[in-house]
Amino acid sequence: MNSVLGRRTRILAATTATAGLLLVAGCSSDSGGGKATAKGVPVVKAGQLTTCTHLPYPPFQSEKNGKYEGFDVSLIDLVAKDLGVKQAIVDTPFETFKTGAFLNSGQCDLAAAGMTITEERKKNVDFSDPYFDATQAVLVDKKSGINSLADVKSKGKKLGAQAQTTGEDYVTKKGFDPVSFESSDAVLNGLRTGQVQAVVIDYPVVQGWLKDKANADAFKVVDNLNTGEQYGFTVKKGNTKLLAAINKTIKDAKADGTYKKLYEQWIGPYTAPAATGASTASAAPSAS
């Protein structure tokens, strides 16, 4: 990572959010002096399932009127419900998800941040079964004259991407020198304000952004890059009980139709590949 940072100009278009905890009341499964548990699953704080995330990243997680919402939030709410507790959210820097820092320090039980499963990351954290298949979109200003990712380079246009993501890694490996932004919102704002003329970003994020007519009138998707990415939730290495609980909830939600309902609520039209559960993580780049 350091060699990449050293040879590129970084534009942090938004400051890293200060980690803040939204406490949600819930019934404690273990209020004694020992380690807290929820139906036999260890938790870092009694009465809640504490989730690390990085805001905003719609449609997976965002804050609206003081409330956290999104596809990831809804799925982990199901896990918490199955454990008889409530979910609490901690907003943390994205780079910590790759190292598992907040899991290892006991600040969170799990991380849910639209994070791609990769072999490199598996060295530091344990991933759940895949819960979402993702592709990267190339989004451009309609006035830019860009009609493909290749056009960005051949026409000398500026390309943006979110720092420390698979999208950034993908285009870097393709020989691009992207302008880096701190969050997905900052990436899109960079495109809107003309700091860059094209961006590479997860397609579901683009889908939600283009629902706004003003955005759809000014910007368009010119490429959809199938990088073989799948998202997973992460837990501290060796936390087999929580991992099993997460996987069971995902499996049950797919079986009873809840997953499909949430997918259509937050993402869009549901298609079978999104719920296959067959990991293609080995095909993914080494960071997301």
Side-chain angles (χ1 to χ4, degrees):
M1 181 181 71
N2 290 337
S3 62
V4 175
L5 289 171
R7 65 182 176 78
R8 294 219 300 274
T9 300
R10 295 277 174 183
I11 296 181
L12 296 183
T15 57
T16 300
T18 301
L21 178 64
L22 173 66
L23 297 180
V24 186
C27 297
S28 173
S29 299
D30 181 359
S31 56
K35 290 185 178 180
T37 61
K39 293 189 176 179
V41 174
V43 291
V44 299
K45 187 164 186 177
Q48 66 186 42
L49 185 64
T50 309
T51 302
C52 272
T53 192
H54 180 61
L55 300 168
Y57 188 62
F60 295 93
Q61 52 268 329
S62 58
E63 184 179 0
K64 185 176 181 180
N65 298 324
K67 181 181 179 182
Y68 296 125
E69 62 179 22
F71 188 57
D72 283 2
V73 176
S74 295
L75 286 177
I76 299 303
D77 274 344
L78 295 178
V79 178
K81 181 179 179 181
D82 287 344
L83 294 178
V85 296
K86 297 289 186 179
Q87 180 181 191
I89 303 290
V90 180
D91 186 15
T92 59
F94 187 80
E95 56 266 24
T96 64
F97 299 118
K98 298 168 70 173
T99 63
F102 281 74
L103 300 175
N104 294 331
S105 64
Q107 291 178 259
C108 297
D109 295 301
L110 74 149
M115 186 160 68
T116 300
I117 301 169
T118 73
E119 294 304 317
E120 183 65 25
R121 290 176 181 172
K122 286 180 181 179
K123 296 175 182 178
N124 299 318
V125 296
D126 286 341
F127 277 94
S128 70
D129 292 338
Y131 69 91
F132 185 80
D133 295 340
T135 59
Q136 296 286 329
V138 180
L139 183 69
V140 305
D141 187 318
K142 287 183 176 180
K143 297 178 181 178
S144 66
I146 299 171
N147 294 303
S148 67
L149 181 60
D151 276 355
V152 177
K153 186 180 293 185
S154 64
K155 296 183 178 182
K157 303 295 185 179
K158 288 185 179 180
L159 178 68
Q162 184 178 346
Q164 307 293 323
T165 64
T166 50
E168 183 183 59
D169 279 2
Y170 180 86
V171 294
T172 299
K173 290 174 182 178
K174 292 293 184 181
F176 290 87
D177 186 23
V179 175
S180 295
F181 295 87
E182 202 275 334
S183 68
S184 60
D185 271 11
V187 173
L188 295 169
N189 189 57
L191 180 63
R192 183 188 288 115
T193 58
Q195 296 178 60
V196 294
Q197 291 76 52
V199 298
V200 172
I201 193 167
D202 287 6
Y203 184 60
V205 176
V206 173
Q207 281 180 296
W209 197 68
L210 291 180
K211 288 180 180 179
D212 184 294
K213 187 178 183 302
N215 293 334
D217 286 345
F219 305 95
K220 65 178 180 179
V221 174
V222 295
D223 259 341
N224 204 305
L225 311 173
N226 187 359
T227 54
E229 296 177 52
Q230 290 184 305
Y231 290 168
F233 303 120
T234 63
V235 301
K236 182 179 179 179
K237 287 195 74 67
N239 192 349
T240 56
K241 289 185 177 180
L242 179 54
L243 197 65
I246 294 170
N247 287 339
K248 183 179 185 302
T249 297
I250 293 172
K251 182 179 179 180
D252 290 348
K254 289 178 178 179
D256 66 16
T258 304
Y259 178 96
K260 179 177 183 290
K261 179 180 178 182
L262 293 176
Y263 189 100
E264 292 177 338
Q265 175 185 353
W266 295 110
I267 309 297
Y270 175 85
T271 54
T276 60
S279 178
T280 59
S282 60
S286 59
S288 156

